[in-house]
Amino acid sequence: GAVVSQHPSWVICKSGTSVKIECRSLDFQATTMFWYRQFPKQSLMLMATSNEGSKATYEQGVEKDKFLINHASLTLSTLTVTSAHPEDSSFYICSAVIGGSLALEQFFGPGTRLTVL
Amino acid sequence: AQSVSQHNHHVILSEAASLELGCNYSYGGTVNLFWYVQYPGQHLQLLLKYFSGDPLVKGIKGFEAEFIKSKFSFNLRKPSVQWSDTAEYFCAVLEDSSYKLIFGSGTRLLVRP
């Protein structure tokens, strides 16, 4: 149980275009999901916290207008990278917490590798 | 601000060698600690976690970690590594009840057969 999927697993796009990444909890409801980015050979950096039915909370230094997050249902959160540029190329990872769980454990998706040309 | 330090960035071991990866945290609240592993090409998986109770925590695949409050440490250990343990290991601390995970920089482990 507690499987999180991401789609697509990798994407290549031209500079200036927008890319949408989906994060789904397959077998549980997730009231809270997180979005991270991971640069090569670096650790995961939290970008934002996504709560179902409310606005996402962004970490300091993360542009909310550039990284649009929508958590419209208890099993789906989306991250849209708007007007992507080469510096946005990274590995984007989502995680989800089982709704109502006291276990405080995040379940991670497999990640989406974004390459902006 | 809370932070997590992993001192070993790269570790190379031969099979059957013992492993200890260092993790130190800086956090003033209730400490919830995790070790995650990321195998090549795969997603992050939880190895073990500490919330309270016995400071020696046993996880999957023979890994264990010891929480030493006085040293602000949560080192990961395995008595005998295997080639399949080659992966990147991340220590993380959870902010009280916000669910936010603060990750260390990671340690890349290479186990030679």
Side-chain angles (χ1 to χ4, degrees), chain B residues 29-79:
Chain B
T30 301
V31 176
N32 297 299
L33 295 158
F34 301 78
W35 274 98
Y36 284 89
V37 60
Q38 189 174 30
Y39 296 104
Q42 297 189 27
H43 62 277
L44 277 171
Q45 298 175 41
L46 180 67
L47 270 181
L48 47 80
K49 59 188 176 186
Y50 171 80
F51 290 160
S52 64
D54 189 342
L56 184 62
V57 180
K58 294 194 182 298
I60 61 171
K61 305 186 181 186
F63 286 91
E64 65 178 31
E66 186 174 11
F67 170 58
I68 302 179
K69 189 175 182 179
S70 61
K71 294 185 178 180
F72 299 92
S73 69
F74 189 56
N75 292 354
L76 181 71
R77 299 194 293 249
K78 185 170 184 177

Side-chain angles (χ1 to χ4, degrees), chain A residues 43 59 101 103-104 106 109, chain B residues 43 46 49 51 99-100 103-104:
Chain A
S43 188
E59 295 301 299
S101 170
L104 305 180
Q106 294 184 24
Chain B
H43 62 277
L46 180 67
K49 59 188 176 186
F51 290 160
Y99 294 142
K100 288 185 182 180
F103 283 89

